């Protein structure tokens, strides 16, 4: 009986810590937001920083963490039976933003966050923003795999991603 009670208490403490990892007033978005709100996983919660504005949608994409698969067309990955998930959501008008995506199981994945400002299915170099977990400047090229890798645990793995937009000759954060 004591072990069961201790297990419940441990679970409650873990849930409290996951739920309270969110900034006050943050809005969790995406089709999988309920998982992160409840502290259930495996899932990845991205705390979005440095948005240019609140136009359009956020897209969070999950890829296999391999050089050949990262940023490959989703149709190709799905046809090959490989991991690919995308969650999309309109941006809230104000406040902090968190977007959540379910992962198939704990493990190593690559993630890409896109601010789809013009709401097209193709990335617009001139207006859309992008971000990866490493938060290193993306410069003029696509993000490298090592910039996008994240190790997802059995619960909710939280990472902050700073958005980057075209400035001058490459992508960088606004601040």
């Amino acid at each position: 009986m004591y072990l069961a009670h201790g297990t419940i208490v441990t679970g409650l403490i873990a849930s409290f810590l996951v739920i309270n990892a969110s900034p006050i007033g943050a809005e969790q978005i995406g089709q999988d937001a309920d998982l992160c709100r409840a502290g259930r996983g495996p899932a990845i919660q991205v705390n979005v920083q440095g948005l240019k504005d609140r136009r359009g949608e956020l897209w969070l994409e999950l890829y296999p963490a391999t050089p050949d698969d990262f940023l490959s067309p989703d149709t190709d990955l799905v046809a090959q039976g490989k991991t690919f998930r995308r969650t999309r959501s309109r941006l809230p008008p104000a406040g902090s933003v968190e977007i959540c995506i379910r992962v198939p199981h704990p493990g190593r994945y690559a993630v890409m966050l896109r601010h789809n400002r013009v709401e097209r299915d193709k990335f617009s170099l001139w207006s859309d923003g992008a971000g990866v977990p490493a938060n290193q400047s993306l410069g003029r090229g696509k993000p490298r795999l090592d910039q996008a890798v994240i190790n997802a645990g059995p619960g909710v793995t939280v990472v902050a991603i700073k958005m980057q937009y075209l400035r001058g000759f490459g992508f960088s954060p606004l601040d």
Side-chain angles (χ1 to χ4, degrees):
M1 184 74 165
Y2 179 73
L3 180 57
H5 180 263
T7 302
I8 291 169
V9 170
T10 303
L12 289 173
I13 291 170
S15 295
F16 176 79
L17 292 174
V18 168
I19 290 168
N20 289 296
S22 303
I24 294 175
E27 184 164 342
Q28 290 183 338
I29 61 174
Q31 294 96 323
D32 299 328
D34 287 343
L35 290 175
C36 288
R37 276 189 216 106
R40 293 189 333 233
I44 296 171
Q45 173 185 303
V46 174
N47 297 344
V48 183
Q49 301 173 345
L51 286 166
K52 187 173 193 173
D53 54 38
R54 299 303 177 114
R55 288 177 35 198
E57 298 179 322
L58 279 182
W59 292 18
L60 181 58
E61 298 177 334
L62 182 76
Y63 295 89
T66 64
D68 291 339
D69 296 329
F70 179 53
L71 300 180
S72 290
D74 55 344
T75 52
D76 293 352
L77 293 171
V78 170
Q80 296 169 19
K82 295 182 178 180
T83 298
F84 177 82
R85 285 198 36 81
R86 176 185 295 129
T87 187
R88 308 163 60 148
S89 186
R90 298 208 58 76
L91 283 155
S96 300
V97 178
E98 300 166 350
I99 188 166
C100 181
I101 193 165
R102 175 179 51 85
V103 299
H105 50 78
R108 190 170 182 253
Y109 297 95
V111 295
M112 176 75 177
L113 181 63
R114 174 179 162 202
H115 182 187
N116 183 6
R117 296 178 65 232
V118 294
E119 298 186 60
R120 289 189 301 187
D121 284 339
K122 185 175 180 183
F123 186 80
S124 172
L125 177 69
W126 306 109
S127 62
D128 288 350
V132 289
N135 290 320
Q136 299 167 338
S137 178
L138 298 176
R140 291 184 285 199
K142 291 181 179 181
R144 297 183 322 268
L145 174 63
D146 66 308
Q147 295 175 307
V149 170
I150 184 168
N151 290 310
V156 178
T157 302
V158 179
V159 63
I161 294 181
K162 186 175 271 195
M163 295 304 303
Q164 298 184 41
Y165 299 88
L166 185 62
R167 298 178 63 200
F169 295 110
F171 277 76
S172 62
L174 295 176
D175 56 359

